[in-house]
Amino acid sequence: MHTLADIDPATDALFRDLTPAQRAAAAHGSGPALVLAGPGSGKTRVITRRIAALIARGVPQWKILALTFTNKAAGEMRERVSQLVAREDGSRTGLVVSTFHSHCAAILRRFGDRIGLQPGFSIYDSGDQKDAIKTAIEEAGLSSTQWTPASVLSEISDAKNRLLDANGYLAEANDFWSRSVAKAYAAYDAVLTRSNAVDFDDLLLKVALLLRNDEEVRTLLQRRHEWILVDEYQDTNHAQFVIAHALAERSRNLFVVGDPDQSIYGWRGADISNILEFEEQFPGAVVIPLGENFRSTSHIVSAAAGLIGHNRRRKHKDLTTSLGEGAPVRLLKANDEYEEADRIAEFLEERSRAGVPWRSMAVLYRMNALSRVIEDALRRRMIPSTVARGTAFYDRKEIKDAIAYLRACANPRDEVSLHRIINYPARGIGDVTVRKIDAYAVSNGLPFIAACAQASTATVVSGKTAKAVDNFVVMIRDFARSLDERVPGDLASFVSEVLETSGLDRLDDHSTIEERERVANLEELVSAAADFRLPESDPAADAPVEPDFEVDGAADAPLPAQPTLGDALRLWLESVSLVADADAVDPEQGSVTLMTLHAAKGLEFDTVAVIGVEHGILPHSRSSEGEDAVEEERRLLFVGMTRAERALSVSSAAVRTVRGVRQASIESEFLREIPTQNVARTDLVERFSGSRIEYDDPEAFGDADVGEMFPIGSMVRHPIFGVGKIEFLARGFGGTRARIAFRSVGLKTLIVEHAKLSRA
């Protein structure tokens, strides 16, 4: 194995512009290391310099594996490494800088046959999963009203993150609910198997189990990936933890970078204990804190540090900055969400007049529902804005239809895709026919496409319908066969041919604006295919197809000597499937970005406004589940605040409309935890003596004492939220505020005088 003992960080050119802490991290020698990288502390610089240092000291590139969570982060790392490392001969190829999911997909392409996966398997996104689970719930004999697709998928996802397959989950099922979900899980697994498909969680689950159970594969990958770097380690779930540790078990060269204070994905399986307990998992690990923030001014850094200091589950590091004091954080309390939005719009206009471009501003919120009012306020002031809601282009119906056709060509067993396109555009194959073919497929143990091919001869269908089914099968199989006969450069023309032959790109004679936009989007899909290049066209690119390698470490070409159009199509479809939410954010767009706090992680803006910082929103009502949940909510606000470079506003409203009901809000306790010396507070509510609330029936209570009618501890009924228990009462702005713990929706704060409450 190679070591880095010969590096002199004080004189080496790779380290001259690094701080002492960054040098210590980048020049770390062999063995495990944990870099505690605070916001804006230059973690990407540390990772890329370390990769360059490894290569400069003779480590073959193909022995280095760097893993992160978004394509954007992986692309930035690859670009920086390519600028640092001279492009030399082929001995310096094979560096893998990838997302966890993309690299696991690559491993499954290389070794999937060992666990029953066939070449060209599909990767199902959330929409495909929903279609598949609906089929599974029906096949399991369950009611979709009692076992909803969303709840069952959530349970299955949690099981996969815990490395439980369908049998493992069934073994743990100990009540009626979990045993029913186990049936659905087994049926869902069967749908995926006969479709030769995996979902996002499977990519991790199957690789983790492969590494655990297949000693030969584990040994091969351990010897290939001798130096492993993991970015955003605080966001790893149990499956990712198992994968990283299995790969590093032999060399112990696991270099992880992360920040427990920015762990905000517990709701989707991220386990903060992975980073908090790193030294226990790897005795002797070196811990290097990076606390200097190169992004934000002093008031912002100190305000965020004061907030996050209230968390108990963390690793302390001093957060500092040398960028000057800057402006205090603006704390705004508005009368309602409309006034809040107006003031935020004024704040952004003020920054624009100071020379800050719109693209350097963002409005962040806990949930998407809060965006509507701020969107309206910006529109009225003619401030350009863009709502970042993930991969919007690939979520459009026409694009999903086209992708389904292409996936069926690449993987004719893909049942979900085939169901989507078999009668779109309409070709005379109705739902009754599809159900007959489904039944024939299940009873004969056939893939759906094979059942379609036999449908007419087996008299499942007849007449014009049989002809339509036969033609559909011929079209898909002809396209599938051509993939092995054509070259990767034909990808764009192939996509165009599929759109034309299927009829997806046809315009009606009296086409509407929407129809023309649909066709324009399909043309853009062809352009996207034209832009795609097989990864090995760039020596620093991630090699999606794993190199063949022997146990002694010799590496051959990562791609076949003569890759086919099929190789290109499958890799392109995979890249489309594995796009993350943050990858959809375009930092060059000339508009203010509106997005959730979760989606903003990893981004930075000159000016940031965090809105809706109220109890029940941030922290979310679900945080009543326990202190760990409250701490994650506090970390979420910390992440939002540290996205700001020069100007930060954090706001709340005294009244907000929730589910059509005007109700009083309680300012988040987090705002009281921000050090007063770092804020400038504006409380607009104090300027009003009256109420802006229009009561449904102001005289409803007459002279009655509300506290006597609804005392603390009494059970009440609300027409929307149902039955709840009053936990708190207070007279204040707009009337009497009551905090009520509802059985169905958790804690809500309502104004009693117009909440239409009755004693339960």
Side-chain angles (χ1 to χ4, degrees):
M1 293 184 192
H2 298 81
T3 66
L4 296 187
D6 56 333
I7 283 185
D8 181 358
T11 60
D12 195 286
L14 286 171
F15 304 103
R16 284 176 187 159
D17 60 344
L18 301 184
T19 66
Q22 290 174 333
R23 287 178 191 166
H28 168 70
S30 305
L34 166 61
V35 179
L36 293 173
S41 60
K43 66 183 181 63
T44 302
R45 171 178 288 194
V46 166
I47 293 173
T48 53
R49 295 300 175 89
R50 177 165 178 77
I51 292 173
L54 288 168
I55 296 169
R57 296 307 182 269
V59 175
Q61 286 196 25
W62 57 270
K63 281 186 172 287
I64 302 171
L65 169 66
L67 296 172
T68 186
F69 281 82
T70 68
N71 293 312
K72 182 173 292 185
E76 182 182 354
M77 285 186 193
R78 282 195 294 265
E79 179 61 28
R80 291 199 192 185
V81 171
S82 69
Q83 294 172 357
L84 292 168
V85 179
R87 295 171 180 266
E88 299 185 4
D89 58 50
S91 65
R92 295 199 168 187
T93 61
L95 170 68
V96 178
V97 182
S98 177
T99 66
F100 263 101
H101 287 87
S102 292
H103 189 59
C104 286
I107 291 173
L108 292 179
R109 276 197 307 274
R110 177 69 173 82
F111 300 107
D113 60 322
R114 292 174 176 250
I115 55 174
L117 275 179
Q118 299 180 20
F121 59 84
S122 297
I123 300 174
Y124 280 178
D125 63 17
S126 57
D128 304 317
Q129 287 179 264
K130 188 174 181 180
D131 291 337
I133 197 63
K134 286 179 179 177
T135 299
I137 289 172
E138 183 179 343
E139 292 182 358
L142 302 175
S143 166
S144 59
T145 55
Q146 291 180 290
W147 287 271
T148 64
S151 62
V152 174
L153 276 177
S154 176
E155 188 75 9
I156 292 174
S157 178
D158 179 68
K160 290 184 177 182
N161 285 337
R162 292 187 291 123
L163 301 187
L164 292 177
D165 58 14
N167 290 330
Y169 183 84
L170 177 60
E172 288 192 359
N174 56 11
D175 56 28
F176 179 69
W177 159 259
S178 57
R179 285 193 293 271
S180 298
V181 172
K183 294 179 182 177
Y185 189 173
Y188 177 67
D189 201 34
V191 172
L192 294 178
T193 299
R194 66 180 184 246
S195 297
N196 191 34
V198 296
D199 62 22
F200 290 156
D201 294 319
D202 280 329
L203 293 173
L204 303 177
L205 168 68
K206 291 182 180 297
V207 169
L209 295 180
L210 184 66
L211 289 169
R212 174 186 290 177
N213 301 327
D214 193 317
E215 183 178 358
E216 183 180 5
V217 170
R218 183 172 64 251
T219 300
L220 286 170
L221 292 177
Q222 285 175 347
R223 296 193 176 186
R224 171 170 168 78
H225 301 314
E226 191 173 292
W227 299 86
I228 301 167
L229 304 91
V230 181
D231 188 18
E232 305 286 8
Y233 192 68
Q234 77 281 347
D235 292 336
T236 54
N237 61 23
H238 180 62
Q240 289 160 329
F241 169 85
V242 169
I243 292 168
H245 281 236
L247 292 175
E249 185 178 22
R250 175 176 174 269
S251 70
R252 297 189 81 246
N253 290 327
L254 180 60
F255 183 89
V256 305
V257 181
D259 182 7
D261 292 340
Q262 297 184 68
S263 178
I264 60 174
Y265 296 118
W267 52 277
R268 68 183 189 194
D271 187 350
I272 193 174
S273 65
N274 291 347
I275 191 168
L276 292 177
E277 299 171 4
F278 185 81
E279 297 118 294
E280 298 174 25
Q281 298 292 334
F282 278 87
V286 174
V287 179
I288 306 167
L290 300 181
E292 184 174 357
N293 186 310
F294 299 96
R295 172 192 302 155
S296 308
T297 51
S298 180
H299 275 308
I300 295 173
V301 171
S302 297
L307 170 71
I308 202 63
H310 287 77
N311 271 10
R312 296 180 180 179
R313 297 192 70 198
R314 63 188 299 261
K315 287 179 176 289
H316 176 77
K317 56 187 172 301
D318 293 324
L319 299 181
T320 63
T321 182
S322 58
L323 296 182
E325 188 175 68
V329 176
R330 300 188 186 195
L331 288 190
L332 169 68
K333 184 173 183 179
N335 284 280
D336 57 23
E337 68 267 40
Y338 299 100
E339 184 175 52
E340 177 190 41
D342 285 340
R343 286 305 182 102
I344 294 304
E346 290 176 6
F347 170 56
L348 300 181
E349 283 185 326
E350 177 186 319
R351 296 298 294 163
S352 177
R353 288 192 295 271
V356 179
W358 297 123
R359 68 174 180 272
S360 297
M361 306 183 200
V363 180
L364 310 179
Y365 34 77
R366 178 62 175 84
M367 47 195 183
N368 279 312
L370 296 181
S371 73
R372 181 187 62 81
V373 176
I374 190 71
E375 284 183 75
D376 291 343
L378 297 181
R379 191 179 299 113
R380 285 194 301 272
R381 292 174 179 265
M382 300 183 69
I383 297 175
S385 65
T386 302
V387 180
R389 286 201 175 104
T391 56
F393 177 78
Y394 291 103
D395 284 339
R396 292 168 178 156
K397 179 184 182 302
E398 62 270 18
I399 300 302
K400 293 183 78 70
D401 291 334
I403 293 295
Y405 267 97
L406 295 168
R407 288 202 319 203
C409 296
N411 174 23
R413 294 173 62 101
D414 188 336
E415 185 175 303
V416 168
S417 293
L418 291 169
H419 275 89
R420 183 182 186 100
I421 64 177
I422 191 170
N423 197 42
Y424 188 80
R427 52 175 60 91
I429 306 174
D431 291 343
V432 173
T433 297
V434 173
R435 284 196 292 270
K436 288 180 180 179
I437 298 174
D438 275 332
Y440 179 77
V442 172
S443 62
N444 290 276
L446 295 172
F448 182 74
I449 191 71
C452 288
Q454 297 179 18
S456 58
T457 57
T459 66
V460 176
V461 294
S462 59
K464 292 181 179 179
T465 302
K467 182 65 174 176
V469 172
D470 288 342
N471 289 341
F472 174 73
V473 172
V474 169
M475 176 181 66
I476 296 299
R477 287 186 169 174
D478 282 350
F479 275 131
R481 277 193 292 267
S482 72
L483 292 176
D484 294 329
E485 301 166 357
R486 300 171 65 174
V487 297
D490 289 344
L491 180 59
S493 61
F494 178 80
V495 173
S496 184
E497 290 167 23
V498 170
L499 296 179
E500 180 180 355
T501 303
S502 66
L504 284 180
D505 65 350
R506 290 180 195 145
L507 271 173
D508 296 334
D509 290 339
H510 303 287
S511 59
T512 62
I513 293 175
E514 291 77 12
E515 275 289 291
R516 287 195 291 272
E517 182 179 347
R518 178 183 66 81
V519 173
N521 287 336
L522 292 172
E523 291 171 350
E524 181 62 24
L525 184 68
V526 177
S527 298
D531 291 340
F532 180 75
R533 297 290 181 272
L534 286 175
E536 282 305 290
S537 62
D538 179 355
D542 170 20
V545 178
E546 281 297 306
D548 290 328
F549 48 87
E550 303 300 332
V551 174
D552 63 3
D556 295 322
L559 284 171
Q562 293 183 325
T564 66
L565 173 59
D567 295 320
L569 177 60
R570 284 185 280 271
L571 292 177
W572 180 56
L573 291 174
E574 180 182 302
S575 71
V576 168
S577 297
L578 298 178
V579 172
D581 287 350
D583 297 320
V585 178
D586 181 4
E588 298 305 316
Q589 64 188 3
S591 59
V592 177
T593 299
L594 278 57
M595 65 196 311
T596 66
L597 288 157
H598 284 101
K601 187 169 176 296
L603 303 176
E604 55 190 59
F605 303 89
D606 174 278
T607 301
V608 169
V610 183
I611 64 173
V613 186
E614 299 147 23
H615 186 79
I617 297 178
L618 185 64
H620 195 276
S621 57
R622 287 195 299 268
S623 65
S624 60
E625 296 170 1
E627 186 58 30
D628 286 350
V630 172
E631 291 205 351
E632 177 152 331
E633 293 291 301
R634 188 179 286 112
R635 292 193 294 267
L636 189 56
L637 179 56
F638 173 78
V639 166
M641 294 173 65
T642 54
R643 300 311 92 197
E645 297 172 343
R646 297 292 182 273
L648 171 64
S649 170
V650 182
S651 60
S652 63
V655 175
R656 192 175 297 276
T657 304
V658 180
R659 295 186 182 179
V661 178
R662 298 279 284 166
Q663 61 184 46
S665 301
I666 299 176
E667 183 181 83
S668 173
E669 57 266 37
F670 296 159
L671 298 183
R672 298 189 292 274
E673 297 171 352
I674 299 175
T676 56
Q677 65 268 27
N678 300 121
V679 303
R681 181 181 287 271
T682 300
D683 192 342
L684 301 176
V685 176
E686 294 177 351
R687 297 193 293 107
F688 291 89
S689 59
S691 168
R692 285 188 169 192
I693 300 175
E694 295 181 3
Y695 294 159
D696 295 323
D697 184 1
E699 306 300 326
F701 294 92
D703 296 326
D705 186 314
V706 173
E708 293 180 2
M709 294 180 66
F710 302 107
I712 293 175
S714 63
M715 301 300 295
V716 295
R717 184 181 303 277
H718 186 272
I720 295 177
F721 304 135
V723 175
K725 180 180 180 180
I726 293 182
E727 296 187 345
F728 172 84
L729 281 172
R731 284 289 298 179
F733 169 74
T736 305
R737 289 179 297 156
R739 187 167 69 231
I740 306 172
F742 289 101
R743 294 172 181 171
S744 59
V745 295
L747 285 174
K748 293 288 180 183
T749 300
L750 307 178
I751 295 177
V752 177
E753 283 82 352
H754 73 105
K756 298 182 179 179
L757 295 175
S758 60
R759 291 293 292 267

